[in-house]
Amino acid sequence: MSERKIALTEKELIEKYKLNEEEQKYLLPLMVEIENAVKRHLTGLQ
Amino acid sequence: MSNLQQERNQLLLDIWEGRKPKRVPVTAMVSLEYALQYKGYSLFCELYSPKHCFEAADEMASLINSDNLPVMPETMAAVHRYSMNRHMVPGKDGFFQHPNYSPMEFAEYPRLIEDPVKFWAQVIRPRIFGILEEDPQYGELRLAMANKVVSEKYIGMGTPELVEKYERTNIEAVALLSLAPYDYIADVFRSFTDICIDIRRRPEWVLDACEAMLVLWKGVLENVQPVPGKINTVTLPLHMAPYMNRRNFDKFYFPSFKKLIQMIQDHGFHAVIYCEENWDPHLEALNDLPGRVHIGFEKADPKKVVETLDKRHIISHFFDTHILRSATPGQVSDEVKKLLDIVAVNGNYIFAPNKPCLVLGDARIENIQAMVETALEYGVY
């Protein structure tokens, strides 16, 4: 299994989670926020 | 705190302390999905918007005058999606369901029995949460961050704000959602169907696993802090007992369940159990539970419950929600009165529908209102 990127882009999240148009309105921004929070946390640790 | 909120709290306090309250406390249970659909929102779209969820729950509270808040605005649906939770999967309509999924193999019972906490954390969780399997290094961090990000969205527009705005009862605090040991194995580790086979193939493994679940719950209970000044409850929806004959119930289900209830009470919490489906064959066993337990019933015969159950227990639910779909408000009102005549006799009954209104088709709003208003008026002692 290939290593997961620290933070996926919007496009990658849409593809990975198969988000339909409706889900892209509110769910996608939440997922982006989670990815960024993980990235900030890990960057802060380095 | 307003007078109305104080009065509502007093009703529940009286019941928990064994006194007959001024009237039957009246609760309604409506899902957030119902509330969103009522406003014309989509379960694929606004379900993931805390602002819209709050609006929808606010509107339901303005329409339904129950003693409790009928709809809680918080949902972790986005976390379920992000974490790829195989126990909470959206259906074609966007409504989340718990599928009959078995993350544990039959041959793994000995590992579960040997160290249930380690087995749960290291083996089962990654099979349930896809994000842990996909990213062994940072999966737990991702799950924690997902919970944090989503929870923080509800700060300032969550249950506490609506409870205050609509003066609803706030004397109870749900400290924990738990499960009877046998149900926990069926729900989380095996599946409803697999465990029914397991008790025939290796009954001693299932019995030992039920005891192991007590070890797991003991650890959880020791880490839960009660909220000061509240009636701190541990809620247990009970699943499997109605599908068991008396012999199997007595052997596999009840002993560890009774120990868990005792453990909950020993840790200073009040147990709230909900008997799904029909518990008529097992009613007498409930008298063996220690202390005062709040027992909700979905399909048990209310008359039989009142006759059989020890009066120290609190009883609730019973009201059949099917009638809310298509009856008239007058017919609903008549059914509420019929039920109250049977169950509101000893001062230990809390009115509630027998299951939540999950989706818009489950109930007409005017019928929910008639149900609540009738119970409020007719439930005065």
Side-chain angles (χ1 to χ4, degrees), chain B residues 58-174:
Chain B
D58 188 319
E59 180 155 354
M60 278 297 123
S62 74
L63 292 169
I64 302 170
N65 186 32
S66 49
D67 290 318
N68 70 328
L69 187 70
V71 180
M72 288 188 285
E74 296 89 352
T75 170
M76 290 291 122
V79 179
H80 299 323
R81 290 296 304 278
Y82 180 77
S83 64
M84 295 177 276
N85 183 345
R86 296 185 181 102
H87 274 333
M88 292 299 285
V89 179
K92 284 180 181 168
D93 56 358
F95 194 94
F96 280 77
Q97 302 274 0
H98 179 101
N100 195 35
Y101 166 63
S102 177
M104 185 183 111
E105 297 296 325
F106 176 70
E108 290 178 314
Y109 265 103
R111 293 180 70 190
L112 167 68
I113 293 160
E114 186 187 355
D115 191 339
V117 178
K118 186 177 169 191
F119 183 69
W120 158 245
Q122 296 183 3
V123 180
I124 296 301
R125 271 170 62 81
R127 294 178 189 169
I128 295 173
F129 297 100
I131 197 85
L132 302 182
E133 192 177 45
E134 175 188 283
D135 188 358
Q137 191 175 7
Y138 299 125
E140 289 289 356
L141 173 67
R142 291 184 186 283
L143 193 49
M145 283 295 178
N147 276 305
K148 183 172 181 287
V149 165
V150 175
S151 302
E152 285 178 353
K153 297 288 175 199
Y154 289 97
I155 293 174
M157 52 178 188
T159 296
E161 287 73 21
L162 291 179
V163 163
E164 290 308 308
K165 181 177 177 182
Y166 291 98
E167 304 172 286
R168 304 305 163 95
T169 177
N170 63 355
I171 191 98
E172 289 184 328
V174 181

Side-chain angles (χ1 to χ4, degrees), chain A residues 4 6 16-17 23 35, chain B residues 42 81-82 134 142 153:
Chain A
R4 190 193 193 276
I6 296 293
K16 176 179 173 55
Y17 288 96
E23 289 168 332
E35 292 283 292
Chain B
S42 158
R81 290 296 304 278
Y82 180 77
E134 175 188 283
R142 291 184 186 283
K153 297 288 175 199

